Amino acid sequence: MRADVAAVIPAYRAAATVGEVVRGAHTHCARVVVVDDGSDDDTGLVARAAGAEVRRHAANAGKGAAIVTALRTLEAAGVGRALTLDASQIPALLAASDAVPGAIVVGVRRKEGQTIARLNRFGNWIADRLLRAIAGQPLPDTQSGFRVYPVAATLALGTRGARYDFETEVLLRAARRGMPLLGVPVDVYYPPVAERVSHFKPGRDTLRIIGTVVRVLVQPG
C-alpha cells in the first residue's frame, strides 16, 4: 500500500457508490481523501465509514473546486502526488507516475465497443482536437478524469476553473508551462445510457470550458 501517493475522490450525491470506490482505492493508497461537494445524501458518512478522510463543501462548488480542496489538503500534509480515480485503473496510472513523478498522468479511455451517445462521442472528438491545436502539442484524453497530479506543481499553475472546466484548464496551463503530460490507456465501463448518472450539464458546462479556453489563451504565463 502506497503512502507517497494519495487517492482523491470528488463526490456529489454518491452515497450508493462511494464506499466501494474508497475500499478499492485503499488497496493501493494508504490515504484516501473524499471531498463531499455539498451532497444532500450520506456521501460523507459512507465514505468515512469505508475509511476515507472526508472534506466537505457546504454547497456544491464543482468537481474542479473539489480537486483543488483535496490538493491543498495533501500539500499541507506533505503528500507529493494525488490520484483521481476509477480504482481499478490505479496500478497503470501509478506506474506511469513513478516513471515521471513531475508529470500529469491521464488515463486515455479505451472506447472501442462501448455504447456512447453519438453527440458525446463527436463532442469529445472535437474537444480533443481543438485543445491539442490550441496547446500546440498532443494532449492525452482531455475529457478524462482518471489522473495523477503532482500536487505542488499543479497548484502552482493557478487554475481558476471550479467545475468540469478545471480538467481542461489544468492541461492547457501545464502544456504552456512545459510540464510533462503522459497518456496511459485504461479500460472503462459505460453502463447503458438509461442507467448513467452524470452531473455534467452539456450546455452550461460546455460554455464554461469554452470560456476557460479563451481565458487561458488571452492570459500570459
Side-chain angles (χ1 to χ4, degrees):
M1 188 183 297
R2 302 283 294 265
D4 57 327
V5 183
V8 169
I9 305 170
Y12 178 60
R13 295 177 177 171
T17 57
V18 70
E20 181 179 356
V21 176
V22 169
R23 287 187 288 273
H26 260 313
T27 64
H28 300 279
C29 298
R31 187 168 191 166
V32 178
V33 179
V34 170
V35 180
D36 179 359
D37 190 27
S39 302
D40 53 9
D41 63 5
D42 290 333
T43 292
L45 292 174
V46 173
R48 190 173 284 110
E53 174 183 343
V54 178
R55 295 288 182 268
R56 175 171 170 79
H57 291 166
N60 180 256
K63 184 178 182 181
I67 292 172
V68 169
T69 291
L71 293 180
R72 288 175 176 160
T73 297
L74 296 175
E75 184 181 44
V79 178
R81 285 177 285 166
L83 181 144
T84 60
L85 53 102
D86 176 310
S88 65
Q89 305 302 328
I90 289 175
L93 296 176
L94 285 182
S97 182
D98 286 344
V100 188
I104 294 177
V105 178
V106 180
V108 179
R109 298 163 293 175
R110 295 186 179 101
K111 300 177 183 178
E112 296 80 6
Q114 299 285 354
T115 302
I116 304 172
R118 186 175 301 176
L119 181 60
N120 289 352
R121 188 184 292 272
F122 179 72
N124 285 343
W125 185 86
I126 290 293
D128 282 345
R129 279 148 186 80
L130 175 62
L131 292 170
R132 288 170 188 173
I134 291 170
Q137 68 176 72
L139 296 180
D141 198 346
T142 60
Q143 310 303 301
S144 173
F146 309 143
R147 301 184 179 187
V148 181
Y149 293 106
V151 172
T154 301
L155 289 172
L157 294 173
T159 54
R160 291 168 52 190
R163 296 186 181 272
Y164 289 95
D165 51 333
F166 171 86
E167 290 170 326
T168 299
E169 182 178 2
V170 75
L171 290 185
L172 289 176
R173 291 194 181 279
R176 175 173 284 185
R177 298 280 185 89
M179 183 184 296
L181 302 172
L182 300 181
V184 177
V186 296
D187 294 314
V188 292
Y189 167 67
Y190 291 90
V193 174
E195 298 177 13
R196 292 176 196 170
V197 177
S198 174
H199 302 295
F200 184 85
K201 305 293 190 298
R204 184 185 307 169
D205 286 315
T206 298
L207 288 175
R208 282 197 183 100
I209 291 170
I210 292 170
T212 292
V213 170
V214 172
R215 185 174 69 246
V216 173
L217 284 173
V218 301
Q219 287 179 342

